[in-house]
């Protein structure tokens, strides 16, 4: 039978969700060995953190054990006493932990299959144990409460609902809309504003002769790309993860009436694509707000508009 959840335990479960989502983002960097290692560590840490939440929730007087195996030994009798199911998928979470130990202590790097299995096993375990102990749906633990901006929070809330309903395209479009809105609001404060409806800058060669319209356009596009790159660097965004996100979500454009339109992106996104985009957009918006504060008044000023 599920046990009541207190405010401290709820915060711990939100942390578990954050660790899991960050690990999902890192697991998508298929060509980065370091990202694969960090993703496996993140999945294992999410599992360990939920064990600590179980101990704290079922017996607040008990100090959680330091080691992974000690936590499992603590949780089993506590769950039995509380009338809950025993720890599910033990072999799977031990598998994740062994991959983490191999990477962290033996310099044995996980391959893509290891990371994929860790992601699946971690998610399945968290879904089962959280509903067994507290009667909560892991997918419904929302990180959007950490987002200050109401409009962006609404985008990401709708993205989460669409993901729950397995409407993967809608989940991607809503999440991408929220991130794009946030980036648009802070762009001027970070990298300045380029004139509207301008697509070229006149240039001259070494002999002060005007160059062709193609050169003028290429110069402007190079400036745009530098501006974009500087924006991501200033906001401490991972450019590789951003490009993966763009490959799935495509382009987002807001019109004067505030509606958003989408072009390009992955033609038939699946559950993993949607989960990655929602996780990436949520984490990135939280990061943006931690850098600039209120995105409607970046760095404490609204003079940018």
């Amino acid at each position: 039978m599920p046990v009541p959840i207190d405010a401290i335990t709820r915060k711990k479960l939100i942390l578990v969700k954050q660790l899991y989502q960050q690990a999902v983002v890192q697991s998508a960097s298929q060509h980065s060995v370091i990202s694969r290692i960090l993703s496996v560590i993140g999945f294992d840490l999410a599992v360990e953190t939920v064990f600590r939440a179980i101990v704290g929730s079922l017996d607040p007087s008990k100090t959680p054990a330091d080691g992974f195996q000690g936590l499992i030994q603590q949780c089993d009798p506590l769950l039995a006493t509380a009338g809950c199911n025993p720890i599910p998928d033990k072999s799977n979470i031990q598998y994740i932990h062994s991959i983490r130990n191999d990477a962290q202590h033996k310099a044995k790097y996980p391959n893509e299959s290891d990371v994929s299995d860790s992601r699946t096993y971690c998610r399945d375990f968290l879904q089962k144990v959280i509903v067994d102990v507290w009667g909560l749906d892991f997918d419904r633990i929302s990180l959007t409460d950490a987002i200050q901006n109401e409009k962006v929070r609404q985008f990401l809330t709708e993205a989460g609902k669409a993901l729950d309903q397995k409407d993967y395209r809608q989940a991607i479009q809503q999440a991408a809309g929220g991130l794009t809105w946030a980036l648009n609001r802070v762009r001027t404060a970070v990298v300045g504003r380029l004139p509207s409806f301008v697509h070229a800058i006149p240039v001259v060669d070494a002999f002060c002769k005007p160059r062709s319209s193609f050169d003028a356009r290429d110069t402007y596009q190079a400036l745009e790309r530098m501006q974009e790159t500087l924006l991501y660097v200033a906001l401490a965004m991972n450019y590789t993860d951003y490009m993966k996100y763009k490959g799935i979500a495509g382009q987002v454009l807001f019109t004067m009436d505030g509606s958003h339109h989408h072009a390009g992106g992955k033609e038939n996104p699946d559950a993993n694509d949607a989960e990655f985009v929602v996780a990436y957009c949520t984490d990135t918006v939280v990061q943006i707000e931690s850098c600039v504060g209120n995105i409607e008044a970046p760095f404490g000023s609204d003079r940018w508009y």
Side-chain angles (χ1 to χ4, degrees), residues 81-100:
T81 301
C84 300
N85 293 325
I87 295 172
D89 301 340
K90 278 188 178 179
S91 62
N92 290 345
I93 60 175
Q94 291 285 7
Y95 171 82
I96 299 172
H97 191 64
S98 68
I99 294 177
R100 172 190 175 156

Side-chain angles (χ1 to χ4, degrees), residues 206-264:
F207 304 99
C208 296
K209 293 182 179 180
R211 300 291 295 180
S212 69
S213 59
F214 295 104
D215 291 335
R217 185 183 60 190
D218 288 345
T219 301
Y220 185 82
Q221 289 176 344
L223 180 60
E224 282 186 313
R225 286 195 293 271
M226 287 189 289
Q227 188 186 49
E228 289 291 306
T229 302
L230 178 59
L231 176 65
Y232 309 141
V233 170
L235 296 175
M237 294 168 57
N238 183 298
Y239 190 71
T240 302
D241 290 341
Y242 180 77
M243 293 309 295
K244 177 177 175 60
Y245 148 76
K246 292 288 285 184
I248 299 172
Q251 299 291 329
V252 182
L253 174 67
F254 281 89
T255 51
M256 296 296 291
D257 62 358
S259 59
H260 56 106
H261 306 272
H262 301 260

Side-chain angles (χ1 to χ4, degrees), residues 3-259:
V3 299
I5 185 168
D6 57 83
I8 294 176
T9 302
R10 186 175 294 277
K11 288 181 180 179
K12 290 178 181 177
L13 295 184
I14 290 174
L15 175 59
V16 170
K17 186 67 174 282
Q18 286 178 304
L19 290 169
Y20 171 78
Q21 286 200 346
Q22 184 60 44
V24 166
V25 173
Q26 290 167 332
S27 71
S29 300
Q30 298 178 355
H31 303 295
S32 171
V33 173
I34 298 301
S35 292
R36 290 203 299 267
I37 292 173
L38 290 175
S39 71
V40 171
I41 291 174
F43 291 132
D44 186 65
L45 185 56
V47 172
E48 183 175 322
T49 303
V50 86
F51 282 148
R52 294 182 182 279
I54 290 172
V55 174
S57 178
L58 300 185
D59 188 354
S61 66
K62 188 180 292 292
T63 300
D66 291 332
F68 188 84
Q69 306 305 333
L71 285 168
I72 292 178
Q73 293 171 8
Q74 279 185 322
C75 287
D76 271 328
L78 288 175
L79 290 171
T81 301
C84 300
N85 293 325
I87 295 172
D89 301 340
K90 278 188 178 179
S91 62
N92 290 345
I93 60 175
Q94 291 285 7
Y95 171 82
I96 299 172
H97 191 64
S98 68
I99 294 177
R100 172 190 175 156
N101 281 341
D102 285 346
Q104 193 167 352
H105 303 300
K106 302 179 182 178
K108 182 180 177 182
Y109 301 147
N111 57 38
E112 292 181 20
S113 178
D114 293 332
V115 174
S116 178
D117 289 345
S118 296
R119 172 178 175 169
T120 301
Y121 292 160
C122 179
R123 181 178 182 82
D124 289 348
F125 167 76
L126 293 176
Q127 287 177 325
K128 291 176 183 177
V129 75
I130 289 174
V131 74
D132 284 347
V133 178
W134 296 285
L136 296 178
D137 185 341
F138 177 65
D139 290 332
R140 295 186 181 276
I141 298 175
S142 176
L143 305 185
T144 57
D145 292 340
I147 296 173
Q148 302 172 38
N149 185 271
E150 183 177 350
K151 185 175 182 69
V152 177
R153 186 168 61 247
Q154 183 61 36
F155 270 115
L156 292 167
T157 299
E158 293 300 318
K161 291 179 181 177
L163 188 60
D164 290 344
Q165 297 166 1
K166 303 187 186 307
D167 188 346
Y168 303 133
R169 184 170 298 280
Q170 180 68 6
I172 289 169
Q173 291 184 351
Q174 289 293 331
L179 177 56
T180 302
W181 179 268
L183 287 171
N184 287 348
R185 299 305 292 174
V186 304
R187 185 183 308 273
T188 300
V190 178
V191 296
R193 181 187 292 113
L194 289 173
S196 301
F197 306 108
V198 173
H199 296 284
I201 297 176
V203 292
V204 297
D205 61 20
F207 304 99
C208 296
K209 293 182 179 180
R211 300 291 295 180
S212 69
S213 59
F214 295 104
D215 291 335
R217 185 183 60 190
D218 288 345
T219 301
Y220 185 82
Q221 289 176 344
L223 180 60
E224 282 186 313
R225 286 195 293 271
M226 287 189 289
Q227 188 186 49
E228 289 291 306
T229 302
L230 178 59
L231 176 65
Y232 309 141
V233 170
L235 296 175
M237 294 168 57
N238 183 298
Y239 190 71
T240 302
D241 290 341
Y242 180 77
M243 293 309 295
K244 177 177 175 60
Y245 148 76
K246 292 288 285 184
I248 299 172
Q251 299 291 329
V252 182
L253 174 67
F254 281 89
T255 51
M256 296 296 291
D257 62 358
S259 59

